[in-house]
Amino acid sequence: MSGLEAIVGAGLAPYLALILFGFLPSEIWRVLGVVLSRGLDERSEILVFVRAVATTLLAAVVAKLLVFPSGALALVPLAARLGAVAFGLGAFYLARRSLVAGVLAGEVFLVAAATIALDAP
């Protein structure tokens, strides 16, 4: 039995497909971006524009998830979702702009609020 047959036989084919078709194509572009961006001034107009567009897209995705959620998040009341964002932002600034602290605090608030809201009669 060859190595590939062993992988497929072990039920690892979905993971192999994920790596080949999901991870590697995007990773190639990341590496290429790092190589091509060497020597660029991070305050140049083009990079300021790119950063602004990326920030705007991220804000739009977060707003869409807050206002029009899908799946299990749709069961959580809007007030709880907005409260989680506010709580996470507060923790972010209280922890000296720590992204990890903000995300964890927001997640903990969201899970607690969802648990309370879904358990309420």
Side-chain angles (χ1 to χ4, degrees), residues 3-20:
L4 185 58
E5 289 173 353
I7 289 174
V8 173
L12 299 177
Y15 299 109
L16 181 63
L18 182 65
I19 290 170
L20 287 176

Side-chain angles (χ1 to χ4, degrees), residues 22-59:
F23 171 75
L24 289 179
S26 66
E27 195 61 27
I28 290 169
W29 291 110
R30 287 178 184 210
V31 170
L32 188 61
V34 168
V35 170
L36 293 177
S37 68
R38 285 193 183 164
L40 287 179
D41 180 20
E42 68 181 52
R43 293 173 303 230
S44 68
E45 284 187 36
I46 188 69
L47 288 182
V48 169
F49 174 74
V50 168
R51 190 176 302 118
V53 169
T55 303
T56 303
L57 287 173
L58 180 62

